[in-house]
Amino acid sequence: MVKICCIGAGYVGGPTMAVIALKCPKIEVVVVDISVSRITAWNSEQLPIYEPGLDDVVKECRGRNLFFSTDVEKHVAEADIVFVSVNTPTKTTGLGAGKAADLTYWESAARMIADVSKSDKIVVEKSTVPVKTAEAIEKILTHNSKGINYQILSNPEFLAEGTAIQDLFHPDRVLIGGRETPAGLKAVQALKDVYAQWVPDERILTTNLWSAELSKLAANAFLAQRISSVNAMSALCEATGADVTQVAYAVGKDSRIGQKFLNASVGFGGSCFQKDILNLVYICECNGLPEVAEYWKQVIKVNDYQKNRFVNRVVASMFNTVSNKKIAVLGFAFKKDTGDTRETPAIDVCKGLLGDKARLSIYDPQVTEDQIQRDLTMNKFDWDHPIHLQPTSPTTVKQVSVVWDAYEATKDAHAVCILTEWDEFKKLDYKRIFDNMQKPAFVFDGRNIVNADELRQIGFIVYSIGKPLDSWLKDMPAVA
Ligand code: UDX
Ligand code: UDX
Ligand code: ADP
C-alpha cells in the first residue's frame, strides 16, 4: 500500500488529499499540520473550511484511508510520497519585502523531512512557490540525506475555492514537473499513477520542474490579468455610457478570447492572485527584466485602482461624506461559496470607508465576526502565517458591527455595498430593505448581481460596476 502524507491541512492540502483518498481507496493518506485546532476541526463534524461537497468526501473516507494528525514527524517518516502544502507568505521585511515569497515554512518543512526520514521519498511541492524553489529544497534534502534518495516533484494546484471538489474531480489538467533523469521520470510516473485513478491520461501533463513551477504563476497571472482588463474597461464604460457586461459578452464571443473570467467586479481577491503576481514581478526583476516586471505589476495596480474607485464612488455619491453614516456591507469573503477572506477586496473597501469615518454593519453568510475584526486590524501580508502564529487582535474596530442577517445590516443604513456575489443577495426583498433605510437610499453593487432597473423602480439610487450611470451619479463625479 502506497502511503501519502501531506504537510499542511489548509485550503489546498485538505480538499486535495480528501479527493485522492476518495478516488484511491488503496492509498493511505494522512494530512498533518502543526495547528492543533485545525486538525481537531478536520476530525470533527465542523470542518475548518467551508467548501461545497467537501463534507461528503471527508465523511466517506475519514477513518478508512484518510486521516488527520498533528503527529507530523511520524507520518512523514512512514510516507512514500510527501506533499508539502504549507504557507508561503509574502515577505514583509528584508530583501524583497512586499514582493518575494517568504519560504520560512517551506524550508522548515524540508529540514524536518530530512531529519525524520528513514526511507526513500518523493517530495511533492504543492504550495505555490517561486520558480526554482524545488531546487533549493532538493539541496536541503540532499545535503542532509543520510544516504536516503529524494526525488522532488512540482505538482501545482489549480483548484479554485468554492468549486474545489468539482475542480479536483474534473481537472482541466494535472501538471507534474520533475527531473528528466531515470529516477526523476520514475517519480513522475509514481505520482501520475495516483492521478490516473480518475483523471484521463491526456489531461496529465508532465514537464520539467521549472516549467511546472512557472506555469502556476503564469496561469494565475493570466487569469488576474483578464479581470484587471475587464475592470479597466469598466471605468471607461462608466465614463462613456457603454455597458461593460455587453462589451465583455461581445469580446468573449471571440473563440480566441472566450467568455470565462470576464466579470467586472470591485476587484479580485484570494490568497493566490496578488501573491503570485508579486512573486512573478520579483523573479523578473531579479533576472534583469524590468519591462516584464512592469507589465505584470500593472495588473495589481489596476486592481488597487478598482477598489479605490469603488470607495470614491460611494463617498462622492453621498455628498462627499460618509462620516457617521451607517453603511451596510453585504459579503466579506473574496468570492461566493467560501468563508475565505484572504486578500478579499472587502478589506480595502471597508478600510477606505472607515477612513472616511463611516459606520459599517457587515453581513456575510460564512465569515465570523472574529475573522472580520482580525482582517480589519491586521497589517498587509500578515494573514499568511500558520493560524496559531497569526497575531491575534485584542483591538477591535469600534465603528464596525457584524450581524447575521442582511435585513439587520441594512436597517437604518444610508447605503448598501454588495462586495461578494452570494446567491442569497440576489433574492433579498429589496422593497423591505428600502423601506427600512435612510433616504436617499443607495445600492453600490460591486459584483453586478442585482437588477438595477428594478431597484431604481423601488426608489434606490443604484451604482453598478461599468454600467451607464444614472443622473444622480453623473452629477456627483468621483475623482479617482
Ligand atoms: C485562483 C485560480 O482560479 C485557481 O486556479 C488557483 O489554483 C488559485 O487561485 P481562487 O483564488 O480560489 O482560484 O478563485 P477565483 O475563482 O480564481 O477568483 C479569484 C478572484 O477573482 C475572486 O475575488 C473573484 O471574485 C474574482 N473574479 C473572478 C472576478 O472579479 N471576475 C471574474 O470574472 C472572475
Ligand atoms: C486582427 C484581429 O485578429 C482581427 O479580429 C481584427 O479584425 C483585425 O486585427 P490580423 O491583424 O489580421 O487580425 O491578424 P491576427 O491573426 O490577429 O494577428 C495579428 C498579429 O499578432 C500578427 O502579427 C501575428 O503574427 C501576431 N500573433 C498572433 C502573435 O504574435 N501570437 C499569437 O499567438 C497570435
Ligand atoms: P493554502 O491555501 O495554501 O492551503 P493555508 O494557510 O490554508 O494555505 O494552509 C497551510 C497550512 O500549513 C496551515 O494550516 C499551517 O498551520 C500549516 N503549516 C505551516 N507550516 C507547517 C509545518 N512546518 N508543519 C506542518 N504544518 C505547517
Side-chain angles (χ1 to χ4, degrees):
M1 193 177 194
V2 176
K3 285 191 175 182
I4 289 180
C5 176
C6 174
I7 308 175
Y11 285 91
V12 172
T16 310
M17 292 305 125
V19 169
I20 289 182
L22 181 79
K23 299 290 186 181
C24 310
K26 293 206 173 110
I27 296 179
E28 182 188 283
V29 182
V30 185
V31 190
V32 296
D33 203 295
I34 40 177
S35 165
V36 176
S37 60
R38 244 194 183 171
I39 290 298
T40 307
W42 278 110
N43 280 318
S44 76
E45 290 302 299
Q46 186 75 41
L47 301 184
I49 61 177
Y50 171 71
E51 189 61 60
L54 177 64
D55 281 27
D56 292 342
V57 177
V58 171
K59 266 190 200 128
E60 189 164 342
C61 312
R62 197 170 54 191
R64 180 187 78 183
N65 64 331
L66 175 67
F67 304 91
F68 296 92
S69 168
T70 49
D71 200 343
V72 180
E73 301 188 352
K74 170 177 181 272
H75 293 290
V76 169
E78 290 175 357
D80 307 293
I81 304 177
V82 180
F83 285 83
V84 184
S85 187
V86 302
N87 317 62
T88 49
T90 305
K91 282 183 83 170
T92 50
T93 52
L95 190 66
K99 276 181 279 197
D102 176 350
L103 293 174
T104 309
Y105 303 113
W106 234 106
E107 182 172 339
S108 100
R111 288 185 186 279
M112 184 268 299
I113 296 171
D115 273 354
V116 305
S117 293
K118 294 187 189 71
S119 57
D120 291 354
K121 302 225 180 304
I122 297 172
V123 177
V124 186
E125 169 187 272
K126 200 73 181 156
S127 330
T128 301
V129 287
V131 182
K132 303 259 168 176
T133 305
E135 191 174 60
I137 301 305
E138 194 172 45
K139 282 191 180 122
I140 293 174
L141 292 173
T142 48
H143 281 273
N144 296 282
S145 76
K146 300 174 289 190
I148 289 167
N149 189 351
Y150 295 102
Q151 278 304 319
I152 317 295
L153 302 179
S154 167
N155 172 220
E157 188 48 70
F158 294 104
L159 65 80
E161 286 171 38
T163 54
I165 299 300
Q166 284 310 311
D167 294 346
L168 286 162
F169 281 177
H170 310 285
D172 286 345
R173 79 300 208 188
V174 167
L175 184 55
I176 305 174
R179 286 273 181 217
E180 286 150 321
T181 58
L185 295 172
K186 201 169 148 219
V188 169
Q189 188 59 43
L191 186 56
K192 209 175 159 182
D193 290 344
V194 172
Y195 286 107
Q197 299 297 315
W198 80 96
V199 181
D201 193 55
E202 68 278 7
R203 296 204 173 198
I204 307 181
L205 316 181
T206 56
T207 65
N208 69 33
L209 269 180
W210 328 136
S211 297
E213 289 180 298
L214 185 58
S215 299
K216 170 71 190 252
L217 293 185
N220 277 343
F222 275 50
L223 289 169
Q225 186 246 38
R226 282 175 75 93
I227 302 168
S228 279
S229 295
V230 76
N231 281 346
M233 281 299 161
S234 76
L236 185 58
C237 287
E238 285 166 33
T240 56
D243 180 330
V244 74
T245 309
Q246 294 173 352
V247 173
Y249 184 74
V251 168
K253 272 289 175 192
D254 187 324
S255 62
R256 295 168 298 179
I257 297 172
Q259 296 285 359
K260 291 182 183 163
F261 256 70
L262 287 180
N263 293 320
S265 66
V266 59
F268 61 75
S271 65
C272 287
F273 283 177
Q274 169 162 301
K275 192 167 75 177
D276 288 355
I277 294 175
L278 288 172
N279 254 312
L280 192 61
V281 166
Y282 185 66
I283 292 167
C284 292
E285 285 172 352
C286 291
N287 282 288
L289 303 169
E291 290 81 0
V292 185
E294 273 308 309
Y295 174 78
W296 289 111
K297 236 188 245 175
Q298 205 57 31
V299 173
I300 294 180
K301 282 195 192 159
V302 169
N303 198 46
D304 288 338
Y305 165 76
Q306 188 76 348
K307 291 180 274 188
N308 283 333
R309 208 165 74 73
F310 187 85
V311 173
N312 291 348
R313 180 69 75 186
V314 173
V315 178
S317 309
M318 298 169 73
F319 313 104
N320 254 334
T321 175
V322 290
S323 180
N324 215 27
K325 289 178 184 163
K326 175 174 172 179
I327 297 184
V329 172
L330 298 187
F332 198 82
F334 82 99
K335 61 188 276 196
K336 74 170 182 179
D337 292 340
T338 176
D340 192 355
T341 60
R342 294 177 293 177
E343 292 292 344
T344 176
I347 295 177
D348 287 334
V349 170
C350 288
K351 283 185 174 173
L353 295 171
L354 290 168
D356 251 294
K357 300 204 172 57
R359 287 183 294 123
L360 303 183
S361 184
I362 304 176
Y363 165 65
D364 186 290
Q366 285 296 334
V367 185
T368 62
E369 175 163 12
D370 262 14
Q371 185 61 48
I372 291 174
Q373 285 290 357
R374 206 176 313 142
D375 286 333
L376 292 177
T377 46
M378 207 185 295
N379 292 328
K380 205 170 159 62
F381 301 131
D382 271 355
W383 50 268
D384 199 4
H385 294 273
I387 290 173
H388 62 291
L389 297 179
Q390 264 172 25
T392 46
S393 59
T395 54
T396 52
V397 186
K398 285 196 199 64
Q399 307 111 282
V400 172
S401 63
V402 178
V403 297
W404 282 102
D405 176 47
Y407 298 104
E408 184 63 32
T410 52
K411 195 162 167 271
D412 294 323
H414 291 258
V416 179
C417 294
I418 300 173
L419 301 185
T420 312
E421 72 281 20
W422 286 101
D423 289 337
E424 63 177 77
F425 299 157
K426 295 180 192 163
K427 299 179 212 131
L428 292 170
D429 180 348
Y430 281 95
K431 175 78 175 76
R432 176 177 159 197
I433 289 177
F434 179 81
D435 289 343
N436 288 320
M437 282 175 67
Q438 309 273 346
K439 308 293 171 338
F442 298 84
V443 169
F444 299 94
D445 183 1
R447 297 287 184 168
N448 288 351
I449 57 165
V450 300
N451 184 327
D453 288 336
E454 272 176 33
L455 264 58
R456 287 189 185 111
Q457 289 287 315
I458 294 173
F460 282 107
I461 294 161
V462 185
Y463 165 73
S464 308
I465 303 266
K467 305 267 183 173
L469 302 175
D470 56 22
S471 54
W472 182 288
L473 298 166
K474 268 191 203 149
D475 289 344
M476 307 238 180
V479 184

